[in-house]
Amino acid sequence: MNITRENIDDLNAIVNVNIEKKDYSNKVDKILSDYRKTANIPGFRKGHVPMGMVKRQYGKAVLVDEVNKLLQDALTNYLVEEKLDVLGNPLPVEQDNFDWDTENYEFQFELGLAPQFDVDLKTKKAITHYQIEADEETINKQIQNIQKQYGKLIAKDTVEKGDMISATFTNEEHNINETASFETSRLKEKKGLKSFLGAKVGDTLELKAQDIFEDTHDLTTFLKVEHDAAHNLKDKLHIEIKEVNAQEPADLDQELFDKLFGKDVVKSVTELKTKLKEDAEQQFQQQSDQQLLNDVTEAIIEKNSFDLPAEFLQKWLRVTGEKELTEEEAKEEFEKSEKAIRYQLIEAKLINENNLQVTFDEVKDFAKDRVKAQMAQFGQMDPSDEDIENIAARVLSNQEETKRISEQLTSQKLLDFYKENAKLKAKKLNYEDFVKEVYK
């Protein structure tokens, strides 16, 4: 067997694989000999079928199968030995007059080669690294929500601002008959709220559907009508008030603190604010980190430009999917995936050159830590090492889960690397301003 490579340019090559009879004949003969021992052909005892008949019946199929196996193994080994970094998979070059009746065969494969490049992280413009703070207003809103969530509902007769109302909405023409509960804060200020304020339990109001709620989508939620129907509902609804409840906020006392965080973890309103701030900023940090990863990715793709074997990749996309694509479809698919391909190459280079590979021990330790945390949530604060090991082993027996953990750890290593090496500028802001700036 002889394998040679012809480099067309820096990104494309042709590999020639020449297979001679001596490369496959012994294997083919052995398989046919085994077939002869077990072949069940009418008129012949098992094991006594003439070899010529076996070759005529099975020889071509066995030959093709063994040559293809030999070809694939040889090509794979060649790419490894030559340390060729290829994109996609080798594509066989079609041969119109290929003849399996000869003894020696020549195959050709197109290769798309990964480009050679250096990664420069120093972008001209510094990338914003958001540091989201939980300000006093955010913490106070969270405390109000907690007090409301754990507070009491006190029944009353007359609707006042801030109350919770339970009412039945009906309209015979549109087959509406639904009971829903909602706060007065959802009502449209000048029409819906004005009509409800002062109304009593048992009263029936008549309001145009579009005049009730500030957000028309609430009609979809409370009346259980389709989205378009809610926007087009112009008729009046009969609204019978069933219940009115005032929301009495929970006291900020030790009973509430223990219910939220466990016994004596928080002992005062000051400690509550500190705890809420820490928890909120930990969650904000995850969003900030994800945004930084997204922004650095975009920046380094733009900063580090290099050519790809575009024609080869389009051909590869065209012929290797579940359904063969047209040339135009393959071109569109390549254009959609080009940025991702570039970043995969950049990411792989950064990982290899900076020893950012994730080891199995790291994956295992991550799984064990997660198991401990989950067990702690169910009150198992001191599980045995053996239990942790066994549960983590079951988790990692799922290949998809192992892959997900590995990708998560890789992202974290890359993020830490970017924080140390990319050109960043810190920007402090509260969460509301972060959302406005990032998501606009």
Side-chain angles (χ1 to χ4, degrees):
M1 184 186 302
N2 184 38
I3 303 180
T4 58
R5 182 175 80 250
E6 175 189 354
N7 290 329
I8 298 173
D9 53 39
D10 291 340
L11 299 174
N12 296 275
I14 296 290
V15 169
N16 296 284
V17 183
N18 292 287
I19 296 178
E20 300 177 353
K21 183 178 181 179
K22 63 182 180 181
D23 297 320
Y24 62 82
S25 59
N26 289 341
K27 184 69 173 176
V28 170
D29 289 344
K30 183 179 185 310
I31 292 173
L32 291 175
S33 179
D34 291 340
Y35 275 15
R36 181 172 181 253
K37 294 175 185 177
T38 59
N40 189 7
I41 297 178
F44 296 95
R45 285 183 298 146
K46 186 178 291 187
H48 292 272
V49 179
M51 180 56 80
M53 182 173 290
V54 172
K55 286 184 177 180
R56 284 195 298 274
Q57 189 160 348
Y58 302 108
K60 179 67 68 68
V62 171
L63 169 68
V64 172
D65 188 46
E66 289 307 311
V67 169
N68 277 322
K69 288 180 183 177
L70 186 64
L71 176 62
Q72 293 302 320
D73 289 344
L75 187 58
T76 300
N77 292 335
Y78 176 78
L79 297 178
V80 172
E81 291 168 1
E82 293 293 311
K83 298 179 180 178
L84 291 177
D85 191 3
V86 299
L87 301 179
N89 295 314
L91 291 177
V93 177
E94 293 185 10
Q95 301 181 52
D96 294 334
N97 299 314
F98 189 85
D99 185 5
W100 282 104
D101 291 329
T102 61
E103 295 183 341
N104 301 322
Y105 308 103
E106 181 177 353
F107 301 91
Q108 289 187 322
F109 293 87
E110 294 180 62
L111 300 183
L113 305 177
Q116 298 297 314
F117 61 93
D118 294 318
V119 180
D120 183 3
L121 291 179
K122 302 301 181 183
T123 53
K124 185 176 181 181
K125 183 180 179 182
I127 300 166
T128 301
H129 183 196
Y130 294 101
Q131 297 177 3
I132 310 171
E133 298 179 309
D135 58 12
E136 190 75 16
E137 183 180 355
T138 300
I139 298 303
N140 287 336
K141 283 182 179 178
Q142 193 169 355
I143 290 175
Q144 289 173 7
N145 289 334
I146 290 172
Q147 288 183 280
K148 183 184 293 186
Q149 180 182 350
Y150 289 90
K152 299 176 183 178
L153 291 178
I154 301 175
K156 51 189 296 191
D157 294 326
T158 306
V159 177
E160 294 180 287
K161 201 167 185 179
D163 287 344
M164 175 71 72
I165 302 168
S166 176
T168 299
F169 297 81
T170 57
N171 180 291
E172 291 184 6
E173 184 179 348
H174 295 281
N175 198 28
I176 294 172
N177 188 348
E178 295 291 338
T179 300
S181 296
F182 50 91
E183 296 180 21
T184 58
S185 59
R186 288 183 174 272
L187 296 170
K188 188 168 284 189
E189 185 75 28
K190 292 183 179 179
K191 295 189 178 180
L193 180 60
K194 185 177 179 180
S195 297
F196 273 91
L197 291 180
K200 297 180 180 298
V201 173
D203 286 353
T204 298
L205 309 178
E206 284 194 1
L207 286 170
K208 289 183 178 179
Q210 302 300 320
D211 291 340
I212 301 172
F213 296 110
E214 191 67 42
D215 186 350
T216 305
H217 294 98
D218 282 345
L219 293 174
T220 302
T221 303
F222 296 137
L223 306 188
K224 296 182 172 53
V225 297
E226 296 294 330
H227 176 273
D228 291 345
H231 282 276
N232 293 321
L233 187 59
K234 307 298 183 184
D235 296 349
K236 286 185 176 181
L237 298 176
H238 297 279
I239 309 165
E240 183 182 355
I241 299 176
K242 297 290 189 180
E243 291 182 17
V244 178
N245 292 286
Q247 291 184 305
E248 182 180 286
D251 292 331
L252 296 176
D253 56 17
Q254 194 60 48
E255 181 182 355
L256 178 61
F257 301 156
D258 291 347
K259 190 179 293 184
L260 291 171
F261 304 108
K263 186 169 177 57
D264 294 336
V265 174
V266 169
K267 297 181 180 179
S268 67
V269 173
T270 300
E271 289 183 11
L272 171 65
K273 289 185 175 182
T274 300
K275 177 66 173 170
L276 292 176
K277 182 177 177 67
E278 290 173 354
D279 292 349
E281 290 184 348
Q282 186 174 0
Q283 293 180 0
F284 294 160
Q285 181 67 45
Q286 294 174 2
Q287 288 183 264
S288 172
D289 283 348
Q290 185 58 57
Q291 188 60 41
L292 178 61
L293 193 60
N294 294 343
D295 290 343
V296 172
T297 298
E298 289 291 331
I300 61 176
I301 290 174
E302 184 176 345
K303 170 73 174 179
N304 298 274
S305 60
F306 46 80
D307 291 332
L308 293 172
E311 186 176 337
F312 169 84
L313 288 172
Q314 289 176 41
K315 183 184 295 187
W316 178 71
L317 288 169
R318 182 165 59 85
V319 301
T320 57
E322 292 183 6
K323 182 185 75 171
E324 185 166 329
L325 305 177
T326 65
E327 290 188 8
E328 187 61 32
E329 288 172 335
K331 183 179 179 181
E332 290 178 7
E333 188 65 27
F334 171 71
E335 289 173 351
K336 286 191 292 186
S337 59
E338 182 179 3
K339 184 179 287 188
I341 295 171
R342 291 182 183 282
Y343 183 66
Q344 287 172 3
L345 292 170
I346 292 170
E347 182 182 90
K349 192 173 185 67
L350 288 173
I351 290 171
N352 290 329
E353 291 184 350
N354 297 282
N355 298 317
L356 302 179
Q357 296 87 348
V358 172
T359 66
F360 181 74
D361 285 341
E362 290 172 323
V363 173
K364 184 178 179 182
D365 288 342
F366 182 92
K368 288 165 65 176
D369 288 342
R370 191 173 65 178
V371 169
K372 289 179 185 177
Q374 290 175 342
M375 294 180 77
Q377 290 179 349
F378 293 96
Q380 300 181 50
M381 307 304 295
D382 191 26
S384 68
D385 291 342
E386 183 179 0
D387 286 342
I388 295 294
E389 287 280 348
N390 290 338
I391 297 173
R394 288 200 295 272
V395 170
L396 297 179
S397 66
N398 184 325
Q399 292 185 352
E400 287 298 317
E401 184 64 13
T402 300
K403 179 183 177 184
R404 191 191 67 77
I405 293 173
S406 180
E407 289 174 348
Q408 185 175 341
L409 291 174
T410 298
S411 292
Q412 186 59 53
K413 285 193 173 189
L414 282 166
L415 180 64
D416 293 340
F417 179 79
Y418 293 151
K419 287 181 179 179
E420 291 181 9
N421 296 278
K423 186 178 179 181
L424 307 178
K425 63 176 180 180
K427 183 172 184 178
K428 293 184 179 182
L429 70 181
N430 63 30
Y431 184 71
E432 186 176 338
D433 290 339
F434 168 76
V435 171
K436 288 179 181 178
E437 181 164 330
V438 171
Y439 301 108
K440 296 182 174 61

PDB file of all heavy atoms in Angstrom, residues 174 209-210 216 219-220 225-234:
ATOM      1  N   HIS A 174     -68.940  35.138  23.039  1.00  0.00           N
ATOM      2  CA  HIS A 174     -67.598  34.576  22.835  1.00  0.00           C
ATOM      3  C   HIS A 174     -67.342  33.358  23.725  1.00  0.00           C
ATOM      4  O   HIS A 174     -66.202  32.900  23.828  1.00  0.00           O
ATOM      5  CB  HIS A 174     -66.542  35.653  23.110  1.00  0.00           C
ATOM      6  CG  HIS A 174     -66.582  36.797  22.140  1.00  0.00           C
ATOM      7  ND1 HIS A 174     -66.037  36.727  20.877  1.00  0.00           N
ATOM      8  CD2 HIS A 174     -67.148  38.035  22.245  1.00  0.00           C
ATOM      9  CE1 HIS A 174     -66.237  37.883  20.245  1.00  0.00           C
ATOM     10  NE2 HIS A 174     -66.913  38.695  21.058  1.00  0.00           N
ATOM     11  N   ALA A 209     -63.473  44.850  26.972  1.00  0.00           N
ATOM     12  CA  ALA A 209     -62.339  43.971  27.245  1.00  0.00           C
ATOM     13  C   ALA A 209     -61.010  44.725  27.214  1.00  0.00           C
ATOM     14  O   ALA A 209     -60.136  44.502  28.063  1.00  0.00           O
ATOM     15  CB  ALA A 209     -62.319  42.819  26.237  1.00  0.00           C
ATOM     16  N   GLN A 210     -60.862  45.624  26.252  1.00  0.00           N
ATOM     17  CA  GLN A 210     -59.594  46.324  26.094  1.00  0.00           C
ATOM     18  C   GLN A 210     -59.374  47.400  27.152  1.00  0.00           C
ATOM     19  O   GLN A 210     -58.283  47.974  27.237  1.00  0.00           O
ATOM     20  CB  GLN A 210     -59.495  46.948  24.696  1.00  0.00           C
ATOM     21  CG  GLN A 210     -59.615  45.942  23.567  1.00  0.00           C
ATOM     22  CD  GLN A 210     -58.543  44.864  23.605  1.00  0.00           C
ATOM     23  OE1 GLN A 210     -57.391  45.151  23.898  1.00  0.00           O
ATOM     24  NE2 GLN A 210     -58.929  43.618  23.328  1.00  0.00           N
ATOM     25  N   THR A 216     -52.703  43.782  27.504  1.00  0.00           N
ATOM     26  CA  THR A 216     -53.747  43.005  26.832  1.00  0.00           C
ATOM     27  C   THR A 216     -53.503  41.507  26.928  1.00  0.00           C
ATOM     28  O   THR A 216     -54.443  40.706  26.888  1.00  0.00           O
ATOM     29  CB  THR A 216     -53.849  43.432  25.345  1.00  0.00           C
ATOM     30  OG1 THR A 216     -54.058  44.841  25.283  1.00  0.00           O
ATOM     31  CG2 THR A 216     -54.993  42.723  24.634  1.00  0.00           C
ATOM     32  N   LEU A 219     -55.557  39.228  29.167  1.00  0.00           N
ATOM     33  CA  LEU A 219     -56.815  38.640  28.703  1.00  0.00           C
ATOM     34  C   LEU A 219     -56.589  37.191  28.269  1.00  0.00           C
ATOM     35  O   LEU A 219     -57.441  36.325  28.504  1.00  0.00           O
ATOM     36  CB  LEU A 219     -57.389  39.449  27.534  1.00  0.00           C
ATOM     37  CG  LEU A 219     -57.871  40.872  27.850  1.00  0.00           C
ATOM     38  CD1 LEU A 219     -58.258  41.588  26.565  1.00  0.00           C
ATOM     39  CD2 LEU A 219     -59.030  40.843  28.840  1.00  0.00           C
ATOM     40  N   THR A 220     -55.456  36.943  27.644  1.00  0.00           N
ATOM     41  CA  THR A 220     -55.104  35.573  27.251  1.00  0.00           C
ATOM     42  C   THR A 220     -54.960  34.693  28.476  1.00  0.00           C
ATOM     43  O   THR A 220     -55.460  33.568  28.523  1.00  0.00           O
ATOM     44  CB  THR A 220     -53.798  35.581  26.433  1.00  0.00           C
ATOM     45  OG1 THR A 220     -53.956  36.398  25.290  1.00  0.00           O
ATOM     46  CG2 THR A 220     -53.420  34.176  26.006  1.00  0.00           C
ATOM     47  N   VAL A 225     -58.223  32.748  26.316  1.00  0.00           N
ATOM     48  CA  VAL A 225     -58.513  32.902  24.886  1.00  0.00           C
ATOM     49  C   VAL A 225     -57.195  32.976  24.124  1.00  0.00           C
ATOM     50  O   VAL A 225     -56.142  33.258  24.702  1.00  0.00           O
ATOM     51  CB  VAL A 225     -59.355  34.170  24.613  1.00  0.00           C
ATOM     52  CG1 VAL A 225     -60.699  34.052  25.302  1.00  0.00           C
ATOM     53  CG2 VAL A 225     -58.634  35.426  25.079  1.00  0.00           C
ATOM     54  N   GLU A 226     -57.246  32.721  22.835  1.00  0.00           N
ATOM     55  CA  GLU A 226     -56.038  32.752  22.010  1.00  0.00           C
ATOM     56  C   GLU A 226     -55.475  34.170  21.942  1.00  0.00           C
ATOM     57  O   GLU A 226     -56.203  35.163  22.135  1.00  0.00           O
ATOM     58  CB  GLU A 226     -56.356  32.247  20.595  1.00  0.00           C
ATOM     59  CG  GLU A 226     -56.801  30.794  20.535  1.00  0.00           C
ATOM     60  CD  GLU A 226     -55.706  29.837  20.944  1.00  0.00           C
ATOM     61  OE1 GLU A 226     -54.518  30.177  20.731  1.00  0.00           O
ATOM     62  OE2 GLU A 226     -56.016  28.767  21.503  1.00  0.00           O
ATOM     63  N   HIS A 227     -54.184  34.246  21.624  1.00  0.00           N
ATOM     64  CA  HIS A 227     -53.482  35.529  21.596  1.00  0.00           C
ATOM     65  C   HIS A 227     -54.177  36.529  20.674  1.00  0.00           C
ATOM     66  O   HIS A 227     -54.474  37.671  21.067  1.00  0.00           O
ATOM     67  CB  HIS A 227     -52.037  35.304  21.150  1.00  0.00           C
ATOM     68  CG  HIS A 227     -51.240  36.567  21.004  1.00  0.00           C
ATOM     69  ND1 HIS A 227     -51.223  37.304  19.830  1.00  0.00           N
ATOM     70  CD2 HIS A 227     -50.448  37.234  21.870  1.00  0.00           C
ATOM     71  CE1 HIS A 227     -50.462  38.362  19.987  1.00  0.00           C
ATOM     72  NE2 HIS A 227     -49.965  38.350  21.218  1.00  0.00           N
ATOM     73  N   ASP A 228     -54.436  36.131  19.422  1.00  0.00           N
ATOM     74  CA  ASP A 228     -55.057  37.054  18.462  1.00  0.00           C
ATOM     75  C   ASP A 228     -56.469  37.429  18.884  1.00  0.00           C
ATOM     76  O   ASP A 228     -56.905  38.586  18.720  1.00  0.00           O
ATOM     77  CB  ASP A 228     -55.074  36.430  17.063  1.00  0.00           C
ATOM     78  CG  ASP A 228     -53.674  36.324  16.466  1.00  0.00           C
ATOM     79  OD1 ASP A 228     -52.757  36.978  17.004  1.00  0.00           O
ATOM     80  OD2 ASP A 228     -53.505  35.585  15.480  1.00  0.00           O
ATOM     81  N   ALA A 229     -57.186  36.459  19.456  1.00  0.00           N
ATOM     82  CA  ALA A 229     -58.551  36.726  19.905  1.00  0.00           C
ATOM     83  C   ALA A 229     -58.556  37.757  21.026  1.00  0.00           C
ATOM     84  O   ALA A 229     -59.443  38.625  21.085  1.00  0.00           O
ATOM     85  CB  ALA A 229     -59.216  35.432  20.371  1.00  0.00           C
ATOM     86  N   ALA A 230     -57.563  37.686  21.914  1.00  0.00           N
ATOM     87  CA  ALA A 230     -57.475  38.653  23.020  1.00  0.00           C
ATOM     88  C   ALA A 230     -57.285  40.064  22.488  1.00  0.00           C
ATOM     89  O   ALA A 230     -57.907  41.017  22.973  1.00  0.00           O
ATOM     90  CB  ALA A 230     -56.323  38.273  23.948  1.00  0.00           C
ATOM     91  N   HIS A 231     -56.437  40.220  21.481  1.00  0.00           N
ATOM     92  CA  HIS A 231     -56.185  41.547  20.920  1.00  0.00           C
ATOM     93  C   HIS A 231     -57.387  42.077  20.124  1.00  0.00           C
ATOM     94  O   HIS A 231     -57.558  43.299  20.000  1.00  0.00           O
ATOM     95  CB  HIS A 231     -54.935  41.512  20.032  1.00  0.00           C
ATOM     96  CG  HIS A 231     -53.656  41.517  20.809  1.00  0.00           C
ATOM     97  ND1 HIS A 231     -53.073  42.668  21.281  1.00  0.00           N
ATOM     98  CD2 HIS A 231     -52.867  40.495  21.218  1.00  0.00           C
ATOM     99  CE1 HIS A 231     -51.963  42.367  21.943  1.00  0.00           C
ATOM    100  NE2 HIS A 231     -51.810  41.060  21.920  1.00  0.00           N
ATOM    101  N   ASN A 232     -58.195  41.173  19.612  1.00  0.00           N
ATOM    102  CA  ASN A 232     -59.328  41.592  18.784  1.00  0.00           C
ATOM    103  C   ASN A 232     -60.648  41.621  19.545  1.00  0.00           C
ATOM    104  O   ASN A 232     -61.694  41.923  18.973  1.00  0.00           O
ATOM    105  CB  ASN A 232     -59.459  40.656  17.577  1.00  0.00           C
ATOM    106  CG  ASN A 232     -58.283  40.784  16.624  1.00  0.00           C
ATOM    107  OD1 ASN A 232     -57.795  41.900  16.392  1.00  0.00           O
ATOM    108  ND2 ASN A 232     -57.815  39.662  16.097  1.00  0.00           N
ATOM    109  N   LEU A 233     -60.602  41.292  20.851  1.00  0.00           N
ATOM    110  CA  LEU A 233     -61.820  41.249  21.650  1.00  0.00           C
ATOM    111  C   LEU A 233     -62.237  42.680  22.027  1.00  0.00           C
ATOM    112  O   LEU A 233     -61.606  43.340  22.844  1.00  0.00           O
ATOM    113  CB  LEU A 233     -61.587  40.411  22.914  1.00  0.00           C
ATOM    114  CG  LEU A 233     -62.803  40.117  23.785  1.00  0.00           C
ATOM    115  CD1 LEU A 233     -63.879  39.368  23.004  1.00  0.00           C
ATOM    116  CD2 LEU A 233     -62.375  39.316  25.019  1.00  0.00           C
ATOM    117  N   LYS A 234     -63.306  43.166  21.420  1.00  0.00           N
ATOM    118  CA  LYS A 234     -63.739  44.556  21.624  1.00  0.00           C
ATOM    119  C   LYS A 234     -65.015  44.653  22.465  1.00  0.00           C
ATOM    120  O   LYS A 234     -65.391  45.736  22.906  1.00  0.00           O
ATOM    121  CB  LYS A 234     -63.994  45.230  20.270  1.00  0.00           C
ATOM    122  CG  LYS A 234     -62.837  45.129  19.280  1.00  0.00           C
ATOM    123  CD  LYS A 234     -61.575  45.810  19.793  1.00  0.00           C
ATOM    124  CE  LYS A 234     -60.470  45.753  18.732  1.00  0.00           C
ATOM    125  NZ  LYS A 234     -59.206  46.314  19.249  1.00  0.00           N
TER     126      LYS A 234
END
